Amino acid sequence: MKSFQYRNHTRIVFGEGALNSLADELRSCEKNILLAYGKGAIKREGIYDAVIKILADCGKNVTELSGIMPNPTAAKVREGVTLCKENNIDFILAVGGGSVIDCCKAIAVGAVVEEDFWDVLYKAHKKVPKALRIGTVLTMVGTGSEMNGNAVITNEEIKVKAGFNSPYVYPMFSILDPTFTYSLPQYQMVSGICDILSHLMELYFSGEDDNVSDDLNEALMKSIVKNARIAVKNPKDYDARSNIMWGATLALNDMLGVGKAQDWEVHQIEHQLGAYYDVAHGMGLAAVSASYYRFICKDGLQKFVKYAVNVWNVDPKGKTDEQTALEGIERLEAFFREIGASTSMRELGIPDKSKLSEIAESTNLLKSGYRTLTHEDVKNILEASF
Ligand code: NZQ
Ligand code: ZN
């Protein structure tokens, strides 16, 4: 195992009724709060009213930023930064899914620097020494943003969707009530499940050493598959929704990635797909995953065999390693289909192949997986996913 340092700054309050703890969590926070949310789900579900009441009872001055869209844009971040600067905001409460939380993380940085956040984080790649503090109330499960220091922003002008990471944007607290996810449309729930599995696979499919993180990862993948099958049939199964919610957090709160290599090329491809087409993140991942893994399978063959046998119960008897590995990838694809995920570009709603070359050319190529792709390889993977 590689040497590492690990610390996670976020306190989790988990369970039905967890929002009752918001007042306690806010007690040590400053007075001027930016309340940020999406396009309306929290108003329909009564979460907004409950949060507003708690903020009023705590005597906070509230400024609102509404309408944060899926795949949040740089323009939306700038709107939030302006609100923070005009209203002397000193704490941000994000209520929503990954998009709302990520947008708030970028706002938290933009609000404490003179320059535009994009120039600082993405052009100059500056390590910003501070940010406004954030708390979250999670309503959509998948990204893990509630307990990590990552955020992904789409710059629509230059067609780039890209992430940044900072130790200063870990939420101070995150409130996770599984019942808040009951109202998610099936499509969003399934998208989140695909995102979780993709995070786990990106962490798993790299490196060859015997690693406790990969053993935990296999257990988590199996748990997500089992609970997804229950939740798809009965979205109000509290235990299944709880296991998926906490599983999503564990999948990307850094713990399973420490001490080992990680891939993340599927996410690079999906992010560029998302820069060109407004697709649900998890569905985009599901659409390219099987093609990508078939493409790199021979380069990490033993790990793909291990995955097929341990996660999907493929019987290796009488099969070559390659056959066993490919059967594991087939089972993954069949699972995506079974829960209603998009397994091709067409199912994602991508009308034709006209943008595939541009997407491939602009995809970030990482060196940390079993194989370093070329832009031509990405194009072939996208074609195979069509
Ligand atoms: O806008 P509203 O009305 O809130 O509706 C949202 C949105 O349309 C809806 N929703 C959320 N909670 C709901 C609900 N609908 C009904 N009931 C509820 N309780 O769900 C839709 C999708 O929400 P969104 O936040 O976009 O989804 P997700 O959590 O999947 O976030 C996706 C974004 O996170 C980034 C993705 O790239 C994408 O931009 N990621 C962030 C990561 C991170 N910070 O670590 C890692 C991920 O790999 C990912 O890249
Ligand atoms: Zn993801």
Side-chain angles (χ1 to χ4, degrees), residues 121-313:
L121 287 170
Y122 291 88
K123 278 196 198 156
H125 298 285
K126 274 194 201 157
K127 298 247 177 277
V128 180
K130 58 181 178 170
L132 292 184
R133 293 198 298 169
I134 304 170
T136 88
V137 177
L138 188 67
T139 66
M140 156 81 195
V141 167
T143 65
S145 190
E146 65 276 10
M147 202 181 182
N148 68 38
N150 310 327
V152 184
I153 303 299
T154 300
N155 189 326
E156 61 283 36
E157 284 165 20
I158 54 169
K159 288 212 178 304
V160 169
K161 179 177 174 184
F164 72 87
N165 178 285
S166 163
Y168 297 99
V169 299
Y170 279 76
M172 191 176 100
F173 62 83
S174 282
I175 291 183
L176 275 57
D177 182 338
T179 67
F180 285 2
T181 67
Y182 287 172
S183 57
L184 278 169
Q186 186 98 343
Y187 187 85
Q188 290 298 342
M189 176 178 76
V190 168
S191 177
I193 288 165
C194 297
D195 194 18
I196 304 166
L197 270 186
S198 179
H199 295 159
L200 292 167
M201 292 187 293
E202 299 267 32
L203 293 162
Y204 185 83
F205 287 124
S206 189
E208 292 294 351
D209 52 343
D210 190 18
N211 191 301
V212 65
S213 294
D214 288 338
D215 292 343
L216 288 168
N217 193 323
E218 286 175 3
L220 214 41
M221 284 194 263
K222 286 199 283 193
S223 172
I224 294 297
V225 168
K226 182 176 80 184
N227 286 290
R229 285 181 165 137
I230 298 168
V232 163
K233 288 206 183 87
N234 179 10
K236 294 201 172 167
D237 186 302
Y238 182 77
D239 286 334
R241 297 308 285 257
S242 304
N243 285 321
I244 293 169
M245 193 174 215
W246 184 229
T249 309
L250 290 172
L252 207 57
N253 69 352
D254 308 335
M255 202 182 70
L256 296 182
V258 294
K260 70 176 302 289
Q262 308 173 23
D263 185 351
W264 297 107
E265 193 58 51
V266 176
H267 270 65
Q268 301 309 309
I269 298 172
E270 192 286 329
H271 284 170
Q272 252 344 73
L273 201 58
Y276 280 76
Y277 297 100
D278 194 15
V279 296
H281 170 65
M283 291 300 190
L285 296 167
V288 293
S289 287
S291 303
Y292 173 73
Y293 289 126
R294 282 191 191 102
F295 195 81
I296 65 157
C297 168
K298 280 192 201 157
D299 301 282
L301 193 56
Q302 289 315 312
K303 198 63 169 287
F304 280 94
V305 170
K306 192 168 178 267
Y307 168 78
V309 173
N310 291 354
V311 179
W312 295 107
N313 299 320

Side-chain angles (χ1 to χ4, degrees), residues 96-113:
S99 295
V100 172
I101 300 173
D102 285 7
C103 190
C104 289
K105 289 176 177 176
I107 294 168
V109 172
V112 299
V113 294

Side-chain angles (χ1 to χ4, degrees), residues 331-345:
R331 300 246 182 133
L332 167 73
E333 202 171 28
F335 170 74
F336 281 153
R337 263 192 222 107
E338 176 192 333
I339 61 171
S342 308
T343 51
S344 70
M345 299 283 144

